[in-house]
Amino acid sequence: MALSLNITKTCCSGRFLKEKLRLVSVASLDFKREKYLGPPPKLRNPTWWIPKIRKRSDDQLSPENSEFIKEVLQDQVAKCTEQVKQITPNKILWRRDMARTGVIAKKIGIYPMWLKNGTKISTTLLQVLDNYVVKYFTPDSYESPRELRTTIKNKKGCLLIGAEIGDPTGFTKEYCGLFKNSGVLPTKYLARFFVSPDAALPVGTTISAQHFQVGNFVDVRGKTIDRGFQGVMKRHGFSGMPASHGVTKTHRRGGNIGGGGEKGRVWPGTKMPGHMGNRYRITKGLKVWRINTKYNILWVSGQAIPGETNSIVYIYDTILPLKRPQKELPFPTFFDVDNEDVAEDIYDDQIHQFSDQTILYDEK
């Protein structure tokens, strides 16, 4: 009896020691991870980010007061347009190593076009909204929300662009404070673009569709359609299992997801069901086929631009080295917007215009 008690005591003490050693080893591993992985990224909003949506109620406003507010807003818009016309552009010769600003646009649909050789192409219509320069951060004053690198070569400035002027009574006081010194009314959309110091634009400058040129290539960034939780067939394009021959309830499944033996685990990055869409994606190297200067519309090649109809996208010069613009671009932007000599529709040389002749008959 005494022998059995001693055995149980030793067994209990051995288990305690093993548990203690396991905890010590886990603590040491956590310390090593913290030591070698470095500090976590600083997940904070940009310096210009301020909440802009708030609840509002017009119960206390009479019809006369609401009309008076509209008149004041119209007067402010007129003053802003006059200030923009008085801006003196700082025109600089463009070089290929210079980065210009981008624009905020809206995806409005898909349209087919034909080349002069009869080839049919698909294009997407992007309407450039009324873009205004709200603020400019110099390379030294801009603070990145995720500063991971200590040394950055060729620092660039940051232009804060706003689009589609909204009702100031629908925004918060802090959000309206961003536009206080710019002379621009609060806008619904904001975006930041990194530019070269020479490409800095004066505050209040208007950017139109003529910022780009026909024949050049652009990159478009947008948020994909939110599909929710989807399986592997819709999310990754799997073919699925056979419909018969002994297959039982595994028609739309992914099948095996891992191997056995020494590496008997699921590898990171395995294609599995999950959330699909609602992510920012960039489509690069899209050619501009046509520009409408009256309505500020760009015809861009392809119909796979991320986002649904009437969604907001961001357009800027392509970063692909082989598709960089060869011709001289309007730098830092196109200022002569009110010029009446500019054609309403500007086509690429390869595009067939319906006003041209298509069939020619020889008199002989």
Side-chain angles (χ1 to χ4, degrees):
M1 189 68 179
L3 183 60
S4 62
L5 288 174
N6 292 332
I7 291 173
T8 54
K9 287 181 180 179
T10 54
C11 291
C12 293
S13 61
R15 291 177 184 173
F16 178 75
L17 289 174
K18 288 182 179 179
E19 184 67 20
K20 192 172 181 180
L21 289 173
R22 189 183 69 82
L23 293 174
V24 171
S25 62
V26 170
S28 62
L29 285 175
D30 293 340
F31 176 74
K32 289 181 179 179
R33 292 195 189 106
E34 294 177 359
K35 181 179 179 182
Y36 293 104
L37 287 180
K42 298 178 181 179
L43 303 178
R44 59 184 178 86
N45 295 316
T47 54
W48 52 266
W49 188 87
I50 295 175
K52 59 182 177 180
I53 300 174
R54 67 175 180 86
K55 294 182 180 180
R56 52 175 294 185
S57 60
D58 297 335
D59 299 336
Q60 300 177 358
L61 284 178
S62 62
E64 294 79 6
N65 291 335
S66 61
E67 292 179 359
F68 175 72
I69 292 174
K70 291 180 181 179
E71 292 178 359
V72 172
L73 292 178
Q74 291 176 0
D75 294 340
Q76 290 184 1
V77 171
K79 290 181 181 179
C80 292
T81 53
E82 292 179 0
Q83 291 178 3
V84 169
K85 291 180 180 179
Q86 295 177 0
I87 293 176
T88 56
N90 185 16
K91 295 183 179 180
I92 304 173
L93 294 178
W94 174 78
R95 300 192 308 268
R96 293 195 65 186
D97 58 343
M98 289 183 173
R100 303 191 307 161
T101 181
V103 298
I104 305 173
K106 182 179 289 187
K107 178 181 176 182
I108 59 176
I110 297 171
Y111 189 81
M113 301 187 76
W114 284 265
L115 303 181
K116 291 183 178 179
N117 58 4
T119 305
K120 180 183 177 181
I121 61 174
S122 297
T123 61
T124 302
L125 278 71
L126 304 176
Q127 185 178 18
V128 179
L129 304 176
D130 296 333
N131 287 249
Y132 301 96
V133 179
V134 178
K135 199 172 183 180
Y136 174 68
F137 297 90
T138 60
D140 297 330
S141 63
Y142 178 75
E143 297 180 3
S144 176
R146 297 185 180 183
E147 193 69 36
L148 299 179
R149 293 179 296 176
T150 56
T151 57
I152 301 176
K153 296 181 180 179
N154 300 326
K155 287 187 177 182
K156 296 181 180 179
C158 180
L159 270 177
L160 185 61
I161 307 295
E164 194 169 342
I165 291 177
D167 188 2
T169 59
F171 301 128
T172 60
K173 182 179 179 181
E174 292 80 9
Y175 183 77
C176 294
L178 293 174
F179 306 86
K180 184 177 181 181
N181 298 325
S182 63
V184 180
L185 290 176
T187 58
K188 296 181 181 179
Y189 308 105
L190 284 177
R192 53 179 179 173
F193 297 98
F194 295 98
V195 298
S196 302
D198 295 334
L201 291 170
V203 175
T205 306
T206 307
I207 305 175
S208 63
Q210 301 181 57
H211 180 74
F212 302 99
Q213 284 188 341
V214 168
N216 290 333
F217 295 86
V218 295
D219 295 345
V220 182
R221 179 177 182 263
K223 182 176 284 188
T224 56
I225 300 175
D226 190 3
R227 303 290 184 180
F229 192 95
Q230 296 295 333
V232 291
M233 293 184 68
K234 186 177 181 67
R235 192 185 186 202
H236 300 292
F238 284 16
S239 60
M241 300 293 181
S244 61
H245 296 285
V247 178
T248 305
K249 295 183 179 180
T250 55
H251 307 291
R252 298 181 62 87
R253 301 207 177 187
N256 185 23
I257 60 172
E262 182 182 356
K263 298 179 177 61
R265 62 188 180 91
V266 180
W267 286 89
T270 303
K271 296 180 180 179
M272 298 177 69
H275 190 275
M276 180 181 178
N278 199 25
R279 298 288 187 272
Y280 279 104
R281 293 291 180 265
I282 302 176
T283 307
K284 301 179 181 179
L286 304 179
K287 187 175 181 179
V288 180
W289 293 100
R290 177 183 171 185
I291 296 177
N292 183 274
T293 59
K294 182 178 180 181
Y295 299 101
N296 288 331
I297 298 177
L298 302 176
W299 277 257
V300 177
S301 61
Q303 51 182 339
I305 291 177
E308 55 187 351
T309 305
N310 294 327
S311 62
I312 297 298
V313 296
Y314 309 98
I315 314 172
Y316 46 88
D317 296 330
T318 183
I319 61 174
L320 300 178
L322 298 180
K323 293 187 177 182
R324 294 284 292 173
Q326 303 294 334
K327 302 178 182 178
E328 185 176 352
L329 293 175
F331 189 85
T333 187
F334 186 82
F335 290 99
D336 197 4
V337 180
D338 299 330
N339 189 2
E340 297 180 356
D341 297 335
V342 179
E344 182 176 345
D345 289 306
I346 305 173
Y347 293 87
D348 187 68
D349 296 337
Q350 302 179 9
I351 291 294
H352 168 71
Q353 303 181 27
F354 292 102
S355 60
D356 298 341
Q357 297 179 356
T358 56
I359 300 176
L360 300 176
Y361 294 97
D362 192 2
E363 296 179 357
K364 298 180 180 180

